[in-house]
């Protein structure tokens, strides 16, 4: 019993952390882009800094995994300096994730945190489609039904986006939705691609992360130069950074790594509850911080999304067991029929 209690407590801990990270990151990023006073920071530098912190943290985790500096050095030399093909392979999700992260900043500059949180759940059908096409997996009828339900819920939310009365900057919901759509496509493809690379070899997760973040730093630096190069040279890399901005960078870097580690200890139903709870928390925070006005279409759409997430995460029914049971029942029925007919024949002979 003690072991079960510890297991339940740990799963609840994982669920709570994932929920708080998802909701807090969205609300905090929205706050830094729309409400926070002072000069607006360059989002491209925040994305680049996030990649640097993820690399440092991954190096620390690899050091802990290898156990000694010599093994750490050998692992880095073997998998980084002597594996240019692997680095090139991991540069694909690096580019895609860089685009996704920049699109998140653009989306939250034009959409409320709650609307963003609901709409971003389109990553579920996108990931499902990529899984079917790239990993040759199949979805149950219930999962396909939940995918269409989710799309319907997002459509309701976007039909007439809820307005935030405390946001003073000019916003463009169309630009925000296009940014989310691009981010969702990037999230689905990059996640499934990275999973395929991980399962194609026995290479450590932290080694793969290091390979990806090295490419990511290079890609995001190019993004900084191409998008805000002149402004960064004039005002500085950390122009406009406040404690809130640093908090957003911290959540983006630590939250992603933490979630990737603890996800294996939770099931799809718990992850679904986490996403639904994050939507609720983001909505409450948006009402308080940004003066979000809840509409009937938003409430209906958000409810549909929460239900669809739950349905999508339900475990698949083991059809092999069902078919086996069906075969056994048919076999038993045949035996009963044969026995009945034999007894009938014996009875007939006696008469």
């Amino acid at each position: 019993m003690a072991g079960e209690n510890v297991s339940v407590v740990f799963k609840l801990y994982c669920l709570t952390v994932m929920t708080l990270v998802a909701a807090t990151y969205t609300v905090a990023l929205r706050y830094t882009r729309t409400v926070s006073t002072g000069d607006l920071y360059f989002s491209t530098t925040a994305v680049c800094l996030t990649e640097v912190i993820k690399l440092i943290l991954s190096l620390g985790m690899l050091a802990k995994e290898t156990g000694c500096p010599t093994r750490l050095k050998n692992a880095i030399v073997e998998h980084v300096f002597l594996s240019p093909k692997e680095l090139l392979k991991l540069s694909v999700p690096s580019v895609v994730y860089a685009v996704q992260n920049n699109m998140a900043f653009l989306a939250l500059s034009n959409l409320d945190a709650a609307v963003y949180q609901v709409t971003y759940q389109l990553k579920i059908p996108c990931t499902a489609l990529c899984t079917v096409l790239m990993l040759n997996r199949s979805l149950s009828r219930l999962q396909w039904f939940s995918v269409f339900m989710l799309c319907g819920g997002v459509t309701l939310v976007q039909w007439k986006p809820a307005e935030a009365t405390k946001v003073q900057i000019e916003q463009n919901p169309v630009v925000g939705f296009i940014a989310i759509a691009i981010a969702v496509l990037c999230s689905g493809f990059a996640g499934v691609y990275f999973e395929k690379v991980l399962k194609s070899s026995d290479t450590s997760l932290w080694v793969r992360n290091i390979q990806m973040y090295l490419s990511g730093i290079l890609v995001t630096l190019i993004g900084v130069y191409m998008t805000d190069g002149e402004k960064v040279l004039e005002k500085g890399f950390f122009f406009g950074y406040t404690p809130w901005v640093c908090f957003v960078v911290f959540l983006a870097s630590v939250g992603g790594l933490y979630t990737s580690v603890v996800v294996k200890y939770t099931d799809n139903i718990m992850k679904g509850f986490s996403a639904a709870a994050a939507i609720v928390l983001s909505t409450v925070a948006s009402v308080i911080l940004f003066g979000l006005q809840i509409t009937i279409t938003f409430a209906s759409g958000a409810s549909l999304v929460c239900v669809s997430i739950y349905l999508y995460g339900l475990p698949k029914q083991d059809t092999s067991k069902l078919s086996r049971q069906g075969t056994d029942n048919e076999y038993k029925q045949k035996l009963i029929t044969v026995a009945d007919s034999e007894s009938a024949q014996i009875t007939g002979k006696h008469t």
Side-chain angles (χ1 to χ4, degrees), residues 10 55-73 75-76 204-207 210 258 261 264-265:
F10 182 71
L55 175 63
I56 295 171
L57 292 174
S58 295
L59 283 169
M61 295 303 297
L62 182 61
K64 182 180 179 181
E65 186 177 83
T66 52
C68 70
T70 304
R71 290 178 183 175
L72 174 63
K73 177 186 174 184
I76 293 174
S204 166
L205 167 66
W206 302 113
V207 169
I210 289 168
Y258 182 86
V261 173
K264 65 180 180 180
Y265 296 110

Side-chain angles (χ1 to χ4, degrees), residues 169-223:
I169 67 168
E170 185 179 349
Q171 299 176 101
N172 190 332
V174 176
V175 172
F177 180 74
I178 292 173
I180 286 187
I182 296 173
V184 161
L185 291 172
C186 291
S187 174
F189 172 78
V192 176
Y193 182 95
F194 189 59
E195 180 184 350
K196 190 173 183 178
V197 171
L198 278 178
K199 293 183 176 180
S200 64
S201 69
D202 296 328
T203 308
S204 166
L205 167 66
W206 302 113
V207 169
R208 290 301 191 189
N209 278 339
I210 289 168
Q211 291 171 337
M212 185 167 64
Y213 297 144
L214 281 171
S215 303
I217 292 171
L218 178 61
V219 169
T220 52
L221 278 175
I222 294 173

Side-chain angles (χ1 to χ4, degrees), residues 86-131:
E86 295 300 312
L87 284 175
L88 188 62
K89 188 189 297 183
L90 269 297
S91 66
V92 175
S94 297
V95 174
V96 178
Y97 276 132
V99 173
Q100 175 197 337
N101 293 331
N102 280 286
M103 288 299 104
F105 278 88
L106 180 59
L108 281 165
S109 298
N110 290 279
L111 290 175
D112 184 81
V115 176
Y116 172 88
Q117 194 73 263
V118 175
T119 310
Y120 191 65
Q121 300 310 314
L122 283 172
K123 66 182 179 181
I124 293 176
C126 184
T127 303
L129 184 61
C130 290
T131 300

Side-chain angles (χ1 to χ4, degrees), residues 339-351:
D340 289 343
S341 62
E342 286 180 351
S343 62
Q345 289 175 2
I346 292 173
T347 304
K349 287 179 180 178
H350 284 296
T351 55

